[in-house]
Amino acid sequence: MSNDHDHDHDHHHHEHGSELSEMQLRVRALETILTEKGYVDPAALDSIIETYETKIGPHIGAQVVAKAWADPEFRAALIADASNAISQLGLQQKVGDHLIAVENTHATHNMIVCTLCSCYPWDLLGLPPAWYKSTAYRARTVKEPRKVLADFGVTLPDDMKVRVWDSTAETRFIVLPMRPAETEGWSEARLAALVTRDSMIGTGFPKAAHEVAA
């Protein structure tokens, strides 16, 4: 299909000086309508947006992973009791009663799924991606995890075990991925830049050292 229409549409926005995407413009329009009709309190909406931008999201989980990579004592505490470990960092667990951290090793690769709905550690990883909530991911991950991983571009050695963890309303999981090579001596902030959302779900790997600026 030709992309001429898309190019014209983008050009139209640029002519008006807008840097918002089409989806952002739609969200802005919906926000305006709901506010005008009195369905949404602008202050409350701003508070929710600020919370997701600054207090909730994959960057929070990345900080936890980076600290576990850099601090052996924290790593041990995280594996022993993730809920308690993150509370020591001043992070408040808002969903589920129990958080479990599962560690990837050279022998085992972990994946997270919720077969019943879409339970997810959103207080650490933000809102779940659309594919995490899809029926296909929920069903196939349990039956054929290696094929699902291949769909995400993740290829594992044949002798590596793949373990799937099923989240529930009470128990959520976060994957502690393996620390990339050539990152010795890095600060936690620099290590956190290597951590991707998918690596904490198990459907991806952290970035390589060369992908992060010094």
Side-chain angles (χ1 to χ4, degrees), residues 24-36 40:
Q24 288 172 319
L25 289 169
R26 289 180 180 179
V27 171
R28 182 69 59 83
L30 179 60
E31 175 186 338
T32 300
I33 293 172
L34 293 175
T35 300
E36 290 177 348
V40 174

Side-chain angles (χ1 to χ4, degrees), residues 85-134:
I86 66 169
S87 71
Q88 300 304 310
L89 298 180
L91 300 174
Q92 183 179 2
Q93 188 177 349
K94 301 176 178 66
V95 293
D97 298 323
H98 193 45
L99 176 70
I100 296 176
V102 290
E103 185 177 21
N104 282 352
T105 68
H106 291 291
T108 303
H109 182 90
N110 297 283
M111 291 179 68
I112 301 171
V113 70
C114 179
T115 56
L116 294 179
C117 49
S118 56
C119 294
Y120 186 79
W122 58 263
D123 37 8
L124 291 179
L125 304 188
L127 296 175
W131 52 260
Y132 183 86
K133 299 180 286 185
S134 70

Side-chain angles (χ1 to χ4, degrees), residues 10-28:
D10 290 341
H11 181 64
H12 175 73
H13 285 318
H14 287 305
E15 285 182 339
H16 288 77
S18 174
E19 296 181 356
L20 298 177
S21 67
E22 182 176 358
M23 180 59 70
Q24 288 172 319
L25 289 169
R26 289 180 180 179
V27 171
R28 182 69 59 83

